[in-house]
Amino acid sequence: MQQTSLTIKEIKNLGYYDFMSYLGVPYFHVGGLTSTKELAELCQINEESKVLMVGCGAGFSACFVAQNFGCSVVGVDIAEVSIRKANERAKALGLEDKAEFRIGDAYDLPFEADTFDIVITEFVSQFLDTERAYREFVRVLKPGGMVGINEMYSDADMPPEVTEKIREAERIFSEITQLPFSLPSPEDWKSWLEGAGLSDVQVHKHKVSVNLKEFELVAKALGGYGKFARLFISLMIGMTRYTISSRKIRDRFRKLSKGKGILMRNRSTSKHVGYALAVGRK
């Protein structure tokens, strides 16, 4: 893929998601492509489907869905670097006729009503006013179409000390991304989708894990294990280089590690956290 070079000063001033896209991080949602595939299946995506992915990032999931389900995908994101990377990815994979990407706001989607068969978000609703956003998702959805979300959750009932630790992680991610961030319960996600007017809402809870199947899916999406290895090495080199070069980036990675540690590695908290795949029909 074409790499647009930026100076260290420009890089450290990028927003969190633009920075991660520039670095080459393929996706941000904790369930990985395993969860993307399952969500697409829950949404009954097929070759005839016209899919909108809101908060598409660098387009990794969108291209994966287009490749594996034969559908057409439109991705929108507010991060300019991410959209540029997404279009570069689609071109490199020969998916220009199946996947397109543009700047777009989840609260004001640049599409007519009743345009899409499926609307999907992955690790995006966490940062949104769901009442406003889901109203927009439903507006651009055809009658009978489906909204599918892939978002993190925390249990509704937790010991006070666990709740406080998870709130700390939420504060950390809000600070890093400069966006509001919370971990609602699965019941909350269901209620918000129903509140947007969707019916037959289903919520499937999953715990965070990494398995061989996920590595296989990522490697295949990248074009083989050789490209997977090159991406991994490139990420390590980039992270090391920018961490050494900038205190701001160094602090960002330190906070990211702390937040992820609370949610995914701490035994007392991680058992109360996971990701929810939820779908509902218009």
Side-chain angles (χ1 to χ4, degrees):
M1 283 183 203
Q2 179 182 354
Q3 177 72 21
T4 303
S5 296
L6 301 177
T7 66
I8 290 295
K9 182 178 180 180
E10 290 172 325
I11 291 168
K12 73 179 183 180
N13 288 327
L14 289 173
Y16 175 76
Y17 286 108
D18 267 340
F19 171 74
M20 289 298 188
S21 292
Y22 182 82
L23 192 62
V25 176
Y27 57 75
F28 307 110
H29 56 292
V30 295
L33 292 184
T34 303
S35 64
T36 299
K37 183 173 183 290
E38 182 177 349
L39 184 62
E41 291 168 348
L42 288 171
C43 289
Q44 302 172 24
I45 293 176
N46 57 44
E47 293 180 357
E48 303 299 319
S49 301
K50 186 172 184 179
V51 180
L52 173 65
M53 297 196 77
V54 180
C56 62
F60 197 75
S61 290
C63 288
F64 172 81
V65 170
Q67 279 184 314
N68 286 270
F69 292 86
C71 58
S72 64
V73 182
V74 178
V76 296
D77 202 290
I78 59 172
E80 293 184 16
V81 172
S82 295
I83 291 299
R84 185 171 71 244
K85 290 288 184 180
N87 280 311
E88 289 173 0
R89 183 181 302 281
K91 183 177 181 180
L93 294 172
L95 291 172
E96 300 103 312
D97 62 332
K98 288 287 187 180
E100 62 174 287
F101 303 93
R102 65 181 76 172
I103 297 291
D105 187 334
Y107 299 131
D108 187 20
L109 294 169
F111 307 105
E112 298 293 330
D114 306 335
T115 298
F116 296 95
D117 300 296
I118 313 290
V119 178
I120 285 177
T121 66
E122 296 181 309
F123 198 51
V124 170
S125 298
Q126 313 279 164
F127 304 98
L128 298 176
D129 176 335
T130 54
E131 182 177 354
R132 289 176 61 199
Y134 289 175
R135 186 166 59 240
E136 266 295 270
F137 295 179
V138 171
R139 181 185 68 80
V140 301
L141 195 64
K142 296 176 183 177
M146 299 182 75
V147 171
I149 66 168
N150 179 355
E151 306 290 346
M152 292 189 72
Y153 75 85
S154 60
D155 290 332
D157 297 314
M158 298 179 289
E161 62 275 14
V162 172
T163 298
E164 181 51 38
K165 287 181 181 178
I166 290 177
R167 297 298 170 262
E168 180 184 2
E170 290 175 338
R171 289 191 291 271
I172 290 170
F173 279 100
S174 291
E175 183 178 350
I176 292 172
T177 61
Q178 294 296 294
L179 294 166
F181 177 82
S182 64
L183 294 179
S185 69
E187 293 79 11
D188 286 330
W189 289 123
K190 185 173 190 292
S191 174
W192 294 335
L193 289 170
E194 290 175 338
L198 297 170
S199 61
D200 302 323
V201 176
Q202 306 172 40
V203 180
H204 303 263
K205 293 169 53 177
H206 297 268
K207 291 301 180 182
V208 178
S209 64
V210 179
N211 53 45
L212 181 60
K213 180 182 177 182
E214 176 63 18
F215 287 116
E216 292 174 347
L217 286 174
V218 174
K220 182 180 178 181
L222 287 169
Y225 284 98
K227 291 185 178 179
F228 177 86
R230 286 194 290 275
L231 173 63
F232 180 79
I233 292 169
S234 174
L235 283 172
M236 293 302 101
I237 292 173
M239 289 173 66
T240 302
R241 176 191 175 195
Y242 300 134
T243 299
I244 292 171
S245 302
S246 168
R247 175 187 287 184
K248 182 176 180 179
I249 294 174
R250 191 158 57 245
D251 186 54
R252 177 182 281 171
F253 280 130
R254 179 184 60 78
K255 290 176 180 176
L256 180 62
S257 178
K258 182 178 180 181
K260 290 177 69 173
I262 293 171
L263 297 181
M264 300 178 192
R265 296 190 292 271
N266 184 296
R267 288 186 179 182
S268 66
T269 53
S270 61
K271 64 183 179 182
H272 292 284
V273 173
Y275 65 92
L277 304 181
V279 296
R281 190 179 298 278
K282 180 176 178 178

